[in-house]
């Protein structure tokens, strides 16, 4: 949803966990994508989301509505993910593939297809800031201004990160494949309406969302 229903926000501000759970469920997929783009670890992602959602519930009373609820929640999740990584002193490494896939040399769609493994490798090797910016702007549909509020930077900085991220993806995937735009689940980000086919982090949900869904 683009903007959370005001009624649910007001109920959540009054301590209604059911209302807050509804707000969270509507935003959960996007929050998981953002947090995963930062931590690059499925289990840590779940821990970060749990912390972020509990933090958001405690702080929602201070939500003034200057931005959409979704943008505000993105900010909470982003800062929580960054704080957790700093606290743990984690060093994220690019996962090494156990096997390489080789596209066919025969002409036709098969020769242009990019395997999920290859796409995941390229996505993982992006600069953290570029990956997060692509996730919010291209995949989640936030404007540069909204994403800037999440990251605490200028809109021009977000635009630069998105542009550089797209260029780097094209370089990593290979000029021919990038021209064809044949990444699994979507095209290589680079045009209007394109969505980055970032790896699906997990189908699991945070404990908070599971609790509210029961």
């Amino acid at each position: 949803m683009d903007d959370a229903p005001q009624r649910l926000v007001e109920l959540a501000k009054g301590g209604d966990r059911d209302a807050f759970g509804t707000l969270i469920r509507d935003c959960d997929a996007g929050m998981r994508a953002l947090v995963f783009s930062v931590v690059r670890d499925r289990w840590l992602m779940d821990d970060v989301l749990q912390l972020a959602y509990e933090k958001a519930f405690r702080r929602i009373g201070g939500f003034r509505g200057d931005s959409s609820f979704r943008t505000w929640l993105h900010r909470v999740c982003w800062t929580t993910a960054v704080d957790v990584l700093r606290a743990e002193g984690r060093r994220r490494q690019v996962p090494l593939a156990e096997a390489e896939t080789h596209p066919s040399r025969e002409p036709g769609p098969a020769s242009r297809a990019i395997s999920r493994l290859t796409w995941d490798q390229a996505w993982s090797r992006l600069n953290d800031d570029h990956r997060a910016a692509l996730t919010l702007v291209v995949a989640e549909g936030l404007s540069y201004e909204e994403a800037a509020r999440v990251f605490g930077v200028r809109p021009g900085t977000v635009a630069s990160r998105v542009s550089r991220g797209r260029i780097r993806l094209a370089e990593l995937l290979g000029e021919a494949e990038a021209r064809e735009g044949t990444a699994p689940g979507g095209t290589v980000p680079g045009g209007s309406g394109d969505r980055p086919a970032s790896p699906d982090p997990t189908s699991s949900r945070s404990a908070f969302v599971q609790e509210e869904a029961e």
Side-chain angles (χ1 to χ4, degrees):
M1 65 183 177
D2 293 330
D3 292 289
Q6 186 62 30
R7 183 180 64 85
L8 290 175
V9 172
E10 292 304 321
L11 287 172
K13 283 184 174 182
D16 190 326
R17 290 179 66 89
D18 290 336
F20 185 74
T22 299
L23 293 171
I24 292 299
R25 286 195 297 276
D26 287 338
C27 300
D28 186 58
M31 299 307 133
R32 287 187 290 118
L34 175 61
V35 170
F36 188 76
S37 76
V38 177
V39 302
R40 305 301 297 164
D41 181 278
R42 176 179 299 184
W43 308 114
L44 184 59
M45 178 197 68
D46 284 337
D47 292 341
V48 169
L49 283 173
Q50 181 68 21
L51 290 172
Y53 290 163
E54 292 292 351
K55 183 185 298 184
F57 183 67
R58 294 193 303 269
R59 296 182 178 179
I60 194 171
F63 173 60
R64 299 191 302 266
D66 296 335
S67 63
S68 69
F69 174 80
R70 184 177 63 145
T71 298
W72 176 81
L73 187 61
H74 271 122
R75 175 66 178 172
V76 174
C77 290
W78 165 261
T79 55
T80 301
V82 172
D83 288 346
V84 167
L85 285 181
R86 287 173 178 169
E88 295 191 359
R90 291 177 60 91
R91 287 176 174 262
R92 297 183 299 289
Q93 299 179 347
V94 177
L96 296 177
E98 295 182 359
E100 294 290 337
T101 57
H102 303 281
S104 170
R105 293 180 180 273
E106 297 298 321
S111 66
R112 299 192 300 269
I114 302 174
S115 71
R116 170 63 66 181
L117 176 62
T118 302
W119 177 264
D120 285 0
Q121 288 176 317
W123 183 253
S124 296
R125 291 172 186 173
L126 285 180
N127 174 284
D128 290 351
D129 289 338
H130 297 168
R131 186 169 55 237
L134 284 171
T135 298
L136 283 191
V137 175
V138 185
E140 286 296 291
L142 270 66
S143 67
Y144 291 143
E145 290 74 18
E146 290 173 323
R149 294 192 190 102
V150 173
F151 299 134
V153 299
R154 296 175 181 272
T157 300
V158 176
S160 177
R161 291 175 181 177
V162 169
S163 177
R164 292 179 181 180
R166 284 170 166 162
I167 292 172
R168 182 57 178 154
L169 267 180
E171 293 174 347
L172 291 168
L173 291 171
E175 184 178 353
E177 292 90 343
R179 250 197 326 266
E180 292 295 335
T182 51
T187 60
V188 175
S192 175
D194 289 346
R195 297 171 63 89
S198 56
D200 180 13
T202 177
S203 60
S204 66
R205 292 180 177 272
S206 73
F208 190 98
V209 174
Q210 291 176 334
E211 172 188 338
E212 297 302 323
E214 293 177 352

